[in-house]
Amino acid sequence: MVTATFRFYEELNDFLAPERRKHEFDCRCARAATTKHMIEALGVPHTEVEFILVNGESAGFDRLLQQGDRVAVYPMCETLDITPLLRVREYPLRVTRFIADVHLGGLARLLRMAGFDTLYETYFRDEEISAISARDNRIVLTRDRELLMRREITHGCYVRELKSSRQLREIFERLDLVGSMRPFTLCLHCNTPLQSIGKERAKHVVPSGVLSRYEKFSTCEVCHGIFWEGTHWERMQALLAGLVPPA
């Protein structure tokens, strides 16, 4: 066994036992323990970690811990320039796509509303979520820290908020999504890209009052839903506008 000193910063403390939060503490580790093994043994999912310092030097998840090591663990930090440091993930995702667990259906629909490809099914098991995440390079969204500790998952977010609109803001702020929005381009129900249609086609499926008041319509070719810029659209537009920081 070896003993190392750990310090976790900012929101990573939420995952620790109360007596270990916001200060250094010593912890005994197996001789072959890596930084990743010990970070997760202490309760912090590896997906929540952005970079690690061991004895003041940048380290990855595979760093073997030695007697007397001092380990500092950081989440994503917008106010700190970490350009010269080693990020613990080898590559960023080129396209921001998500998969949400069974408890985050409301968030999944709101992300689709904002134009982000988000898979969600109530029947997804944890092993399916981790496999799809690895296969499709998707960010896992969950309130289950054990799910985020699965080895196959490289990118994930532990969602702290309980209300879906607040969850949306949390994810937008954490991942800086405002500039990547493509609102109202995906079906809220099945995640399929929407197609614009003319009034001639829409008149067979929408009420006559709707047809006379609105000019723009779109449809999902999978579930055959029809969408227009009505009061529901206005409420969603207001929700998205509230996510954009003031100039």
Side-chain angles (χ1 to χ4, degrees):
M1 301 287 286
V2 299
T3 298
T5 301
F6 290 83
R7 173 70 160 93
F8 290 80
Y9 288 86
E10 303 301 334
E11 61 265 28
L12 297 184
N13 284 279
D14 297 344
F15 298 102
L16 300 176
E19 66 273 12
R20 288 174 165 168
R21 294 174 183 169
K22 299 184 179 181
H23 63 82
E24 291 185 346
F25 60 89
D26 292 340
C27 186
R28 299 188 70 186
C29 318
R31 286 194 176 276
T34 62
T35 51
K36 179 178 182 292
H37 171 81
M38 286 307 302
I39 287 168
E40 293 200 322
L42 290 167
V44 179
H46 68 273
T47 56
E48 300 298 294
V49 176
E50 183 70 6
F51 67 99
I52 303 166
L53 298 180
V54 178
N55 304 325
E57 296 184 357
S58 187
F61 279 135
D62 57 352
R63 167 68 148 77
L64 291 175
L65 293 173
Q66 300 177 6
Q67 178 65 31
D69 277 346
R70 303 181 68 84
V71 184
V73 188
Y74 296 83
M76 183 179 296
C77 185
E78 297 177 357
T79 60
L80 184 62
D81 180 11
I82 64 170
T83 303
L85 302 178
L86 171 69
R87 293 174 184 265
V88 292
R89 272 163 287 282
E90 294 181 1
Y91 59 92
L93 297 179
R94 293 185 177 182
V95 180
T96 303
R97 298 184 293 186
F98 300 98
I99 181 168
D101 77 3
V102 66
H103 304 292
L104 298 176
L107 174 60
R109 286 186 288 273
L110 291 180
L111 284 167
R112 291 170 180 174
M113 175 188 71
F116 294 99
D117 178 350
T118 306
L119 293 184
Y120 169 80
E121 295 290 352
T122 56
Y123 56 76
F124 278 159
R125 301 188 303 274
D126 285 0
E127 55 267 30
E128 291 177 288
I129 291 174
S130 59
I132 293 170
S133 169
R135 183 193 69 203
D136 297 346
N137 291 325
R138 291 180 179 272
I139 299 169
V140 175
L141 302 175
T142 182
R143 286 185 49 77
D144 178 3
R145 75 169 79 180
E146 297 296 328
L147 173 57
L148 292 179
M149 291 182 184
R150 285 179 170 263
R151 183 173 54 187
E152 303 92 339
I153 297 175
T154 59
H155 295 76
C157 290
Y158 179 81
V159 180
R160 290 168 170 78
E161 294 287 354
L162 299 178
K163 188 176 179 181
S164 57
S165 59
R166 292 181 178 177
Q167 291 170 344
L168 182 68
R169 178 175 294 277
E170 176 186 347
I171 297 302
F172 259 62
E173 291 178 351
R174 176 170 174 179
L175 301 180
D176 192 21
L177 296 180
V178 168
S180 302
M181 278 197 299
R182 295 181 300 113
F184 313 113
T185 57
L186 296 176
C187 178
L188 304 187
H189 307 297
C190 60
N191 201 43
T192 302
L194 296 177
Q195 306 295 325
S196 296
I197 60 171
K199 296 183 73 170
E200 183 65 24
R201 181 177 171 187
K203 73 179 183 180
H204 300 292
V205 288
V206 301
S208 57
V210 169
L211 196 68
S212 63
R213 291 199 303 272
Y214 301 101
E215 297 296 325
K216 296 180 180 180
F217 297 88
S218 58
T219 186
C220 171
E221 299 292 350
V222 174
C223 70
H224 307 295
I226 302 291
F227 303 88
W228 59 89
E229 297 179 357
T231 55
H232 183 55
W233 180 89
E234 292 171 354
R235 289 195 297 270
M236 293 190 293
Q237 186 81 299
L239 176 61
L240 292 177
L243 299 173
V244 179

